[in-house]
């Protein structure tokens, strides 16, 4: 694998981001972009000029632009952050890529897996980078999980744990009825529902822990207002690993997983985002009952943005990287594309009430 450019090595000039959409998540990501060295926000677009200008003035952005096309064509935009409802991600990520802009796109990447593949292919043809804004994958703690999983039967170094062969993974992500009227998450035509919104994390966690897709998926769903409101799924992964996932809009906030090996398990109750004002945390449980707590401070959104900037730097320095079969971004792309496939399999299973084979 080609080595990544370390964030601290980011070359000037800064990458200028343009933002599509002025919703809830935009507030957080604009601040994160503005506070990441090597990035700045040059413009924001809304469907209306009033809102674009209000947002630009409120958040210290030089240009508030009416219309997403307008923003994408600007010369002072190098990369576009797509913060729109899921049903609009494909159209605007593709348009940005075709205009030669790198793309940071909110999760879920799209509403189905064929769209996800088209988006990835379009970016590849345009030689622009793309990344889904799944920030937990970039937390330093996630690197620990990767190391523990890779060395589950042969732990190495300090703070290493012997999990034994992986046997079961479980994940649950939910929150309770958080909506205001008109919320896109309650509108099927905009890609609403808990499966795309929260299943992206829960199913993505199972895919991450197994480094691939399951062989079978069996799912059930409670629908409300035309969108999935509570989804439960069981899966069989290769190497005799089973998995379960739950996501819901009608249970208390949950963002946990358990990765169970033959000798110990990792338990984490905040994997998508640490609880407010607390460091990221978790526990390794041994068979004897001994528990090893761990915690880790890291700004996962900064790490995510730094990673994208590092990829942009690396291909600016060496364009031949675009042709490499395996790159620093390959794993992240596989994670996103396969998570979308997994969500589609869950959706098919719950609609048809049948086991789906992948
Ligand atoms: N990564 C995370 O932690 C995280 C957290 C929350 C949400 N998200 C994801 O981010 C995306 C946006 O979520 P959000 O909660 O920010 O959404 P939101 O508050 O509903 O905002 C979406 C924005 O999209 C624009 N838009 C364009 N067409 C629209 C339409 N037909 N209906 C509604 N809005 C429309 C609007 O901006 P203008 O009117 O200004 O054009 C709106 O403000 C989703 O994919 C969501 O899953 C990610």
């Amino acid at each position: 694998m080609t080595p990544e450019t370390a964030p601290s090595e980011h070359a000037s000039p800064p990458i200028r981001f343009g933002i599509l959409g002025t919703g809830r998540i935009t507030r957080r990501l604009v601040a994160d972009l503005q506070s990441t060295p090597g990035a700045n926000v040059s413009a924001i677009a809304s469907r209306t000029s009033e809102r674009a200008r209000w947002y630009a003035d409120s958040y210290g952005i030089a240009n508030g632009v009416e219309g997403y096309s307008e923003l994408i064509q600007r010369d002072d935009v190098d990369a576009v952050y797509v913060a729109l409802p899921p049903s609009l991600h494909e159209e605007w990520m593709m348009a940005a890529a075709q205009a030669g802009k790198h793309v940071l796109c909110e999760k879920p990447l799209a509403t189905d897996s064929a769209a996800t593949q088209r988006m990835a292919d379009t970016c590849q043809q345009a030689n622009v980078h793309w990344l889904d804004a799944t920030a937990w994958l970039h937390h330093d703690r996630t690197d620990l999980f990767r190391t523990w999983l890779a060395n589950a039967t042969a732990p190495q170094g300090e703070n290493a744990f012997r999990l034994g062969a992986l046997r079961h993974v479980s994940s649950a992500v939910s929150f309770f009825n958080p909506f205001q009227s008109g919320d896109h998450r309650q509108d099927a035509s905009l890609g609403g529902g808990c499966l795309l919104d929260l299943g992206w994390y829960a199913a993505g966690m199972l895919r991450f822990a197994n480094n691939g897709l399951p062989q079978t998926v069996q799912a059930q769903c409670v629908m409300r207002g035309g969108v999935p409101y509570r989804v439960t799924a069981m899966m069989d992964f290769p190497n005799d690993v089973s998995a379960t996932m739950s996501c819901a809009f009608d249970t208390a906030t949950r963002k946990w997983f358990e990765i169970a090996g033959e000798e110990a398990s990792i338990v984490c109750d905040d994997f998508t985002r640490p609880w407010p004002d607390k460091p990221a945390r978790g526990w390794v449980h041994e068979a004897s009952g001994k528990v090893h707590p761990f915690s880790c401070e890291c700004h996962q959104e900064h790490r995510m943005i730094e990673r994208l900037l590092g990829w942009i730097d690396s291909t600016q320095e060496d364009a031949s990287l675009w042709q490499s079969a395996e790159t620093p971004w390959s794993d992240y792309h596989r994670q996103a594309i396969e998570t979308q496939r997994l969500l589609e399999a869950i959706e098919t299973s719950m609609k048809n009430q049948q086991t789906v084979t992948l």
Side-chain angles (χ1 to χ4, degrees), residues 211-229:
N211 198 23
L213 285 168
Q215 294 155 319
T216 62
V217 174
Q218 206 182 338
Q220 63 180 40
C221 176
V222 173
M223 299 287 289
R224 260 180 228 148
V227 297
Y229 227 76

Side-chain angles (χ1 to χ4, degrees), residues 218-301:
Q218 206 182 338
Q220 63 180 40
C221 176
V222 173
M223 299 287 289
R224 260 180 228 148
V227 297
Y229 227 76
R230 194 185 327 130
V231 175
T232 312
M234 285 197 306
M235 301 168 206
D236 283 314
F237 281 87
N239 305 315
D240 192 18
V241 180
S242 56
T244 56
M245 76 129 229
S246 159
C247 59
F249 286 153
D250 63 356
T251 62
T253 299
R254 297 175 300 162
K255 38 188 178 178
W256 60 256
F257 70 74
E258 182 200 27
I259 296 175
E262 289 184 344
E263 296 175 50
S265 58
I266 311 171
V267 175
C268 176
D269 72 346
D270 64 350
F271 81 94
T272 62
R273 176 182 306 286
W275 296 98
D277 305 320
K278 291 195 167 60
R281 66 190 186 186
W283 301 266
V284 174
H285 287 245
E286 290 185 8
S288 65
K290 192 167 177 190
V291 176
H292 306 268
F294 56 86
S295 66
C296 178
E297 299 267 11
C298 166
H299 192 300
Q300 59 185 15
E301 284 77 16

Side-chain angles (χ1 to χ4, degrees), residues 20-29 44-48 51-52 55 68 81-89 92 105-109 133-135 182-185 187 190-191 196-198 201 272-273 300-301 304:
L20 303 185
T22 59
R24 278 175 298 261
I25 191 63
T26 299
R27 282 193 287 275
R28 180 183 295 157
L29 247 291
I44 184 157
S46 173
R47 288 170 294 179
T48 66
R51 186 152 172 90
Y55 202 100
Y68 305 148
Y81 168 52
V82 180
L84 305 172
S87 65
L88 300 175
H89 291 180
W92 292 106
C105 182
E106 264 308 336
K107 45 59 62 175
L109 203 51
T134 309
D183 195 306
H184 79 262
R185 289 171 292 179
D187 186 338
L190 293 174
L196 286 171
D197 192 37
L198 304 177
Y201 295 113
T272 62
R273 176 182 306 286
Q300 59 185 15
E301 284 77 16
M304 173 178 76

Side-chain angles (χ1 to χ4, degrees), residues 155-171:
Q156 288 163 15
E158 257 180 76
N159 300 325
F161 294 103
R162 189 179 180 87
L163 297 173
L166 187 60
R167 284 290 162 257
H168 186 80
V169 188
S170 202
S171 179

Side-chain angles (χ1 to χ4, degrees), residues 10-17 36-40 78 309:
H10 183 267
S12 56
I15 298 299
R16 299 161 299 176
F17 279 80
T36 302
N40 66 37
D78 306 307
L309 298 182

